Amino acid sequence: MRSVQGWQGLRGWAARRARAAGRPSVPPRAHSALEDVQAILTGCLFVALALVFMRDSRLLPGGVTGLAFIVHYASGWALGAALFVLNLPFYLFAWRALGWRFTLKTFVAVAVLALYTELLPRLVGLARLDPVFSAVMSGLLAGTGILILMRHQASLGGLGALAFYLQQRRGWRAGTVQMLCDALILGSALWLLPPGRVALSVLSAAALNFVIAINHRPDRYHGI
């Protein structure tokens, strides 16, 4: 997830690289509205399928989605409704830190994900699901979906927006803030889930971050 300044810097990096290679500098074309729509629909579908794996295995993601899972497990609230409601306060931070376009796309993405989360269990049934496979597969699916959204300057909201806001206003490193919040959320689940399930949730988070770390590097990829 990048601010407007970050995307402009990325374009500048691409132009410098083209000049160094002796090629004419051609700015990358921005995605069209139709491309953004298909990216949100597709990326959220990948993430929603990952949440189906996690819910059926009693695992827990990080971030606000993890809080929604805790509310769902503890109270029986619909997961999609909890996910949508808990994200509402973070749109203010997203708007201030990353601009209204990013915030609008994020709001739509969270709404689509909440809808998918309630719809997919009616379409997909998993008779047997190994928890280790579920942890790895859900992380890979969620990472792929989030990567699609990031390439279209959108996200699934939550603590990432708060982390960027604190980085801009307080100078706190966004990655560190996100990591600490995820650790607190996963740690707080120990009263609700067995330690083995929490450990598998950490494995799922590692798989997710592996996908993003390998495939979202500005020194290697510059599609926007």
Side-chain angles (χ1 to χ4, degrees):
M1 294 169 284
R2 299 178 180 274
S3 62
V4 173
Q5 292 84 357
W7 290 106
Q8 290 173 344
L10 196 55
R11 292 192 183 97
W13 172 86
R16 291 192 299 272
R17 186 177 181 184
R19 287 196 297 270
R23 300 192 307 268
S25 175
V26 179
R29 292 186 302 168
H31 292 294
S32 68
L34 181 60
E35 290 170 334
D36 285 339
V37 168
Q38 70 82 24
I40 289 175
L41 293 176
T42 303
C44 289
L45 185 58
F46 275 78
V47 177
L49 186 57
L51 298 186
V52 170
F53 275 81
M54 300 193 83
R55 179 161 53 181
D56 283 7
S57 302
R58 296 285 290 180
L59 301 180
L60 192 73
V64 173
T65 307
L67 291 176
F69 265 73
I70 291 175
V71 171
H72 171 67
Y73 288 149
S75 68
W77 261 41
L79 179 58
L83 180 64
F84 183 79
V85 171
L86 289 175
N87 266 293
L88 290 175
F90 295 97
Y91 294 121
L92 176 62
F93 298 114
W95 176 72
R96 290 186 174 182
L98 300 169
W100 70 268
R101 290 182 184 275
F102 178 91
T103 305
L104 178 61
K105 291 180 183 179
T106 296
F107 178 85
V108 173
V110 172
V112 170
L113 178 61
L115 180 62
Y116 279 163
T117 302
E118 296 304 313
L119 178 62
L120 278 190
R122 305 178 186 181
L123 304 176
V124 178
L126 301 173
R128 180 180 179 274
L129 185 59
D130 180 81
V132 176
F133 173 80
S134 177
V136 175
M137 193 65 200
S138 62
L140 296 178
L141 283 169
T144 302
I146 291 172
L147 181 65
I148 292 172
L149 295 174
M150 292 169 70
R151 293 288 177 88
H152 288 257
Q153 301 186 44
S155 78
L156 293 175
L159 295 172
L162 175 61
F164 274 108
Y165 176 80
L166 291 175
Q167 179 173 278
Q168 288 194 352
R169 293 301 179 93
R170 301 283 185 174
W172 300 353
R173 298 181 67 173
T176 301
V177 172
Q178 180 79 56
M179 182 180 64
L180 290 175
C181 290
D182 286 345
L184 288 173
I185 291 169
L186 292 175
S188 68
L190 286 170
W191 67 272
L192 187 63
L193 299 176
R197 296 291 169 169
V198 176
L200 287 175
S201 299
V202 174
L203 175 62
S204 179
L208 185 157
N209 285 286
F210 173 78
V211 171
I212 294 177
I214 295 298
N215 296 283
H216 193 66
R217 291 178 52 180
D219 62 327
R220 186 175 292 168
Y221 308 106
H222 55 274
I224 61 172

